[in-house]
Amino acid sequence: MQKHNQKEHLYKLLVIGDLGVGKTSIIKRYVHQNFSPHYRATIGVDFALKVLNWDAETVVRLQLWDIAGQERFGNMTRVYYREAMGAFIVFDVTRPATFEAVTKWKEDLDSKLILPNGKPVPAVLLANKCDQGIDVLMNNGIKMDQFCKENGFVGWFETSAKENININEASRCLVKHIIASESDPVQSVEPDIIKPHLNSSKIVSCSACFKS
Amino acid sequence: PAALPPAPLGFTDVNLNSRNTYEVSRRRSAPEHLPHGGTAPAEPASPPQEPAERARHRVGIAGAGSSFAEFFTRNFFTKKTKELKPAVQSAPGWKLFGKVPPRENLPKDSKIIQQEYEARTGRMYKPPPPSARRKNIEFEPLSTTALILEDRPANLPAKSVEEALRHRQEYDEMVAEAKKREIKEAHKRKKIMRERFKQEENIASAMVIWVNEILPNWEGMRATRRVRELWWQGLPPSVRGKVWSLAVGNELNITPELYEIFLSRAKERWKSFSETSSENDTEDAGASVADREASLELIKLDISRTFPSLYIFQKGGPYHDLLHSVLGAYTCYRPDVGYVQGMSFIAAVLILNLEEADAFIAFANLLNKPCQLAFFRVDHSMMLKYFAAFEVFFEENLPKLFLHFKSYSLTPDIYLIDWIFTLYSKSLPLDLACRVWDVFCRDGEEFLFRTGLGILRLYEDILLQMDFIHIAQFLTKLPEDITSEKLFSCIAAIQMQNSNKKWAQVFASLMKDNKEGDKNHSPAPKS
């Protein structure tokens, strides 16, 4: 079936965030196009596969790693991060504590995972359960943009697995950045040396995402 | 008990206003037949010239769906119908007895056709009055009697004679085929029933032996060959909880009174927790308090996500508070362990088989076993030892699959974590998980890993054909049709011997190996 000139990319994506924020629901919505309020708690890790026809020449296969949210598992789930190319960090807009945990998740991710070119893996922030009528974030869009810049997210989206809001968009944003980061020449062969301008230049190139 | 369908759960998210009730109940009772349930009933009454394939599809619907699901949907939705005025409009051309609300503009001749059909087939079907129908939940329309050939509605041009004849013929073929299938299915059902009867007889006779002979002489008999063999067959549900309690023991000497004490302590905490959190976010609280409160919060989140398909643990369900109590009391009893995901599944299985205090006692003692303690304390280096021991027996028993996994760097932590943390209660059907627990109580932790190898053996041929992501998906969501006969024969075929070393010896030598070079054991990062 595959055309001769068709390229296939395989990306491992992590879906992380506090317990009960809807990681499994987002994945089920994205991959199986359905929603149930009755998913079981994830223990360890669950998996899903999504195939995207990215463009005429490119097929993208996404391996989604749905990682258990309890903080206690942090040590254990570290091995799951290996070789991931991107990440969604999810929080629940109805529970502020899950947003406070976002920076912790991001730091955890960056400390465990660095791309071959020395950069952090692209991460998209998902403000899930936005169907629940709490639009604190809506009014704080600028603040959220700022938060993403400060914490090195390539973009953020208000999502709802229940109402199927923005999940495809968020995924396209993440994949776009992964493809971009792949075609990036290796900039740093000495990953020990931190170059502050690396981060800032990255963010400028992604700001388009914030508006989508 | 594991066979309960999730049907009654679904109704809360169904938007009743936007769909007619007929469609909803049909969708619920046969979801696999109607992925796009929204379209079919909205069609105009279609004349029977629709493709035979499609019609056959609808024939299937009438017979499908478990009676249990129907019970719920019917009872629920019949009540709802009265409250919801929105018009129930069109119904499909192929009518299903007992399920279709009366159509508003019924074609005049449909009655006549029905009479014709009844006369022809020689059977008279009198639909029961609606009230009787509602009570008679066992009524299940058979596809042969539920399909009616209708003519085109009066407002459309009539069929030509050949066309009518052809449709008649197609219709007859469909009915005949459906009948054949029904007979075949009836035979299958009969066979299953016969097996079930036999099984029930076995359970009944085993129960007598357990109650009259074994339980009164527990210590003397538990290790005898006869008892061990009977044990392997699975415990009769009526003695299951009792045998589990005895086998797990009560090393910790917990009494029901002690449980009450910890429970009331937990309740106090919940109270103070809800009071403080309503005032403002407790920023100034000490880290340990915040931790404990977080762990109480997690319990709340997880309870309704424990066996959601059983409904009973959900908010408002009969066992919701019980599960909350047992887990809450445990976090007060063992603050050093606290609540860890996976516990809710274990506590739930115990609650289903034991009284509240006994469930707590068994729970606390079970989690105090070395393997469970290692996992629930998330002692990563110990967990890795267990995985390493597992891999020794994996390679020994299933060398081909072992290499296949190795080639994808597919390590046991991908699939074993879920299995061990929940003692298979999340990954296997509940009745099968209980059988695994039975023998786990007999053989100890070794059996958990043996069961894992049994699962891998059962699906070895399929797994050998798969790549990384498909294996990972498969093992983290096992097929639902896994049967206890097949699984247990695969488990029985797993040898827990590695060059004359048993599980305990292999594990002990792994522990010794790593004593020397044990330095990469860093403590878990605390927030």
Side-chain angles (χ1 to χ4, degrees):
Chain A
M1 289 287 274
Q2 206 173 334
K3 289 177 217 151
H4 282 299
N5 55 349
Q6 213 170 32
K7 278 182 292 181
E8 196 176 287
H9 293 278
L10 175 66
Y11 298 132
K12 169 176 170 178
L13 304 185
L14 305 175
V15 184
I16 53 180
D18 269 6
L19 186 156
V21 295
K23 298 181 288 295
T24 304
S25 298
I26 286 173
I27 291 173
K28 297 264 165 149
R29 168 60 80 189
Y30 184 47
V31 176
H32 304 292
Q33 286 88 36
N34 58 23
F35 175 80
S36 152
H38 303 295
Y39 291 124
R40 299 176 300 179
T42 305
I43 314 290
V45 57
D46 281 342
F47 297 90
L49 180 66
K50 173 89 179 178
V51 180
L52 294 176
N53 292 313
W54 188 254
D55 54 38
E57 296 99 59
T58 326
V59 172
V60 173
R61 297 165 72 84
L62 301 176
Q63 228 181 55
L64 296 155
W65 291 50
D66 177 8
I67 293 173
Q70 190 170 11
E71 195 196 329
R72 188 87 71 92
F73 293 146
N75 234 3
M76 178 181 91
T77 52
R78 168 182 312 201
V79 290
Y80 299 144
Y81 286 18
R82 215 173 38 214
E83 285 167 19
M85 299 290 286
F88 294 108
I89 295 182
V90 189
F91 71 97
D92 173 352
V93 294
T94 67
R95 286 191 291 144
T98 65
F99 176 69
E100 283 156 30
V102 164
T103 44
K104 219 168 54 200
W105 282 104
K106 184 67 167 67
E107 281 164 16
D108 187 50
L109 178 73
D110 291 344
S111 71
K112 289 169 187 167
L113 203 58
I114 294 171
L115 290 180
N117 62 11
K119 291 182 185 175
V121 293
V124 166
L125 181 61
L126 304 183
N128 195 37
K129 308 195 189 179
C130 71
D131 56 278
Q132 308 249 323
I134 295 178
D135 46 18
V136 184
L137 294 162
M138 202 86 92
N139 306 329
N140 281 325
I142 297 158
K143 264 192 186 162
M144 283 295 286
D145 288 351
Q146 186 64 30
F147 178 86
C148 283
K149 279 186 188 175
E150 280 165 9
N151 291 280
F153 286 99
V154 300
W156 70 280
F157 290 86
E158 283 188 290
T159 58
S160 164
K162 192 176 176 187
E163 304 292 341
N164 193 15
I165 298 171
N166 270 345
I167 293 170
N168 289 310
E169 290 78 357
S171 176
R172 289 199 77 83
C173 170
L174 184 57
V175 171
K176 203 172 74 192
H177 281 89
I178 292 170
I179 291 174
S181 75
E182 261 198 330
S183 57
D184 243 18
V186 176
Q187 297 200 356
S188 166
V189 270
E190 308 112 78
D192 290 351
I193 298 167
I194 298 154
K195 293 182 184 169
H197 69 268
L198 262 184
N199 266 333
S200 51
S201 72
K202 190 174 177 74
I203 283 151
V204 171
S205 69
C206 315
S207 58
C209 247
F210 294 144
K211 288 171 194 117
S212 51
Chain B
L4 299 187
L9 305 173
F11 49 62
T12 46
D13 65 310
V14 173
N15 187 349
L16 286 163
N17 290 314
S18 67
R19 301 201 167 98
N20 72 52
T21 50
Y22 161 60
E23 181 214 339
V24 171
S25 71
R26 214 171 66 153
R27 251 160 43 103
R28 290 289 145 190
S29 53
E32 70 277 24
H33 288 278
L34 263 185
H36 309 293
T39 55
E43 288 163 8
S46 41
Q49 74 223 36
E50 62 178 353
E53 193 49 47
R54 175 123 158 245
R56 214 171 279 137
H57 178 80
R58 287 200 181 151
V59 177
I61 292 163
S66 72
S67 55
F68 188 82
E70 306 245 297
F71 166 74
F72 270 92
T73 47
R74 273 191 212 169
N75 276 10
F76 187 79
F77 288 111
T78 41
K79 247 178 254 159
K80 267 293 202 261
T81 343
K82 283 181 195 153
E83 293 155 28
L84 296 167
K85 287 286 162 211
V88 176
Q89 326 114 328
S90 55
W94 298 99
K95 214 164 75 161
L96 308 172
F97 281 149
K99 286 195 168 181
V100 187
R103 207 188 314 185
E104 270 166 4
N105 50 351
L106 217 62
K108 284 168 218 144
D109 50 1
S110 82
K111 271 232 171 71
I112 299 163
I113 291 169
Q114 183 176 334
Q115 281 161 9
E116 269 176 17
Y117 167 71
E118 281 162 357
R120 203 163 42 79
T121 54
R123 60 167 76 179
M124 275 299 277
Y125 178 75
K126 284 198 189 96
S131 60
R133 197 187 307 156
R134 210 163 296 154
K135 276 180 205 147
N136 183 9
I137 55 165
E138 279 173 25
F139 170 73
E140 192 82 47
L142 293 174
S143 51
T144 39
T145 55
L147 186 73
I148 294 172
L149 180 65
E150 286 186 47
D151 242 332
R152 256 177 222 167
N155 56 343
L156 291 172
K159 293 183 209 174
S160 67
V161 180
E162 309 91 81
E163 204 182 9
L165 250 160
R166 201 180 67 231
H167 288 152
R168 169 72 65 190
Q169 201 182 343
E170 278 175 8
Y171 166 78
D172 287 342
E173 279 165 15
M174 274 159 54
V175 170
E177 206 170 286
K179 202 161 197 169
K180 233 196 307 188
R181 205 169 40 230
E182 260 165 36
I183 290 169
K184 213 166 126 195
E185 265 160 27
H187 279 302
K188 217 157 98 194
R189 265 202 304 276
K190 234 186 200 160
K191 204 179 145 202
I192 291 169
M193 284 305 278
R194 261 204 307 274
E195 274 162 19
R196 197 172 293 165
F197 280 138
K198 214 177 121 194
Q199 233 171 24
E200 270 165 23
E201 256 167 49
N202 286 345
I203 290 171
S205 65
M207 195 190 73
V208 173
I209 299 170
W210 280 100
V211 171
N212 294 342
E213 295 177 47
I214 303 168
L215 288 178
N217 310 299
W218 174 249
E219 285 307 327
M221 283 185 80
R222 65 181 290 183
T224 61
R225 204 173 148 187
R226 179 168 164 247
V227 171
R228 286 177 62 82
E229 269 168 16
L230 197 62
W231 204 333
W232 176 271
Q233 307 296 320
L235 298 169
S238 55
V239 298
R240 183 165 262 155
K242 184 79 196 148
V243 175
W244 285 359
S245 278
L246 286 166
V248 169
N250 189 1
E251 238 183 356
L252 300 167
N253 288 317
I254 301 170
T255 57
E257 291 74 34
L258 197 64
Y259 168 63
E260 289 301 328
I261 291 169
F262 284 113
L263 178 57
S264 59
R265 210 173 283 177
K267 281 179 175 162
E268 261 165 50
R269 285 226 180 106
W270 283 323
K271 227 173 86 188
S272 67
F273 175 47
S274 58
E275 276 162 12
T276 49
S277 64
S278 61
E279 282 166 22
N280 54 7
D281 282 0
T282 46
E283 293 272 336
D284 51 343
S288 66
V289 178
D291 253 15
R292 227 177 294 129
E293 284 174 354
S295 141
L296 289 174
E297 176 82 17
L298 297 190
I299 292 175
K300 242 194 281 173
L301 279 169
D302 263 2
I303 284 180
S304 58
R305 304 199 296 162
T306 308
F307 298 121
S309 58
L310 293 183
Y311 191 56
I312 51 180
F313 295 108
Q314 310 251 296
K315 204 156 198 164
Y319 285 177
H320 174 272
D321 293 350
L322 219 57
L323 186 54
H324 202 205
S325 296
V326 168
L327 292 171
Y330 183 78
T331 57
C332 290
Y333 173 68
R334 288 298 292 265
D336 59 322
V337 181
Y339 173 74
V340 182
Q341 286 199 293
M343 282 184 181
S344 63
F345 287 90
I346 296 181
V349 173
L350 289 169
I351 285 168
L352 290 173
N353 287 282
L354 285 161
E355 291 295 313
E356 183 174 353
D358 291 329
F360 177 78
I361 294 167
F363 182 70
N365 280 283
L366 189 61
L367 295 197
N368 204 42
K369 308 262 172 210
C371 176
Q372 275 60 50
L373 214 48
F375 275 75
F376 281 109
R377 278 183 164 154
V378 199
D379 180 342
H380 201 224
S381 68
M382 275 291 273
M383 287 164 68
L384 290 175
K385 304 266 165 54
Y386 278 105
F387 296 152
F390 172 81
E391 287 200 290
V392 168
F393 291 95
F394 187 1
E395 188 172 14
E396 177 88 25
N397 281 278
L398 306 162
K400 231 164 107 190
L401 191 64
F402 180 77
L403 283 177
H404 185 64
F405 278 27
K406 203 114 223 180
S407 71
Y408 287 116
S409 320
L410 204 145
T411 46
D413 50 35
I414 300 281
Y415 51 92
L416 261 189
I417 282 180
D418 177 83
W419 293 354
I420 303 296
F421 263 102
T422 63
L423 305 176
Y424 296 95
S425 57
K426 194 183 147 224
S427 26
L428 294 178
L430 196 50
D431 51 344
L432 187 45
C434 283
R435 263 200 78 183
V436 170
W437 282 44
D438 291 345
V439 189
F440 164 59
C441 287
R442 190 192 80 166
D443 292 359
E445 65 187 33
E446 158 182 343
F447 189 73
L448 295 178
F449 297 93
R450 195 179 177 191
T451 300
L453 293 172
I455 293 171
L456 295 181
R457 191 192 157 93
L458 175 58
Y459 296 113
E460 184 177 19
D461 294 341
I462 308 171
L463 293 168
L464 281 170
Q465 308 298 317
M466 291 181 176
D467 63 359
F468 174 88
I469 187 70
H470 290 100
I471 296 171
Q473 275 182 284
F474 186 92
L475 293 179
T476 48
K477 197 179 181 309
L478 294 171
E480 278 161 30
D481 59 359
I482 183 167
T483 67
S484 61
E485 292 75 32
K486 278 190 191 143
L487 177 60
F488 271 77
S489 71
C490 283
I491 295 173
I494 296 293
Q495 293 301 316
M496 293 306 267
Q497 290 262 349
N498 174 260
S499 52
N500 284 332
K501 281 203 278 185
K502 295 191 166 170
W503 169 267
Q505 290 163 307
V506 168
F507 186 71
S509 69
L510 282 165
M511 291 293 286
K512 218 164 66 196
D513 283 354
N514 277 45
K515 271 251 161 76
E516 286 101 51
D518 192 18
K519 57 181 179 200
N520 52 349
H521 183 194
S522 55
K526 282 264 163 192
S527 59

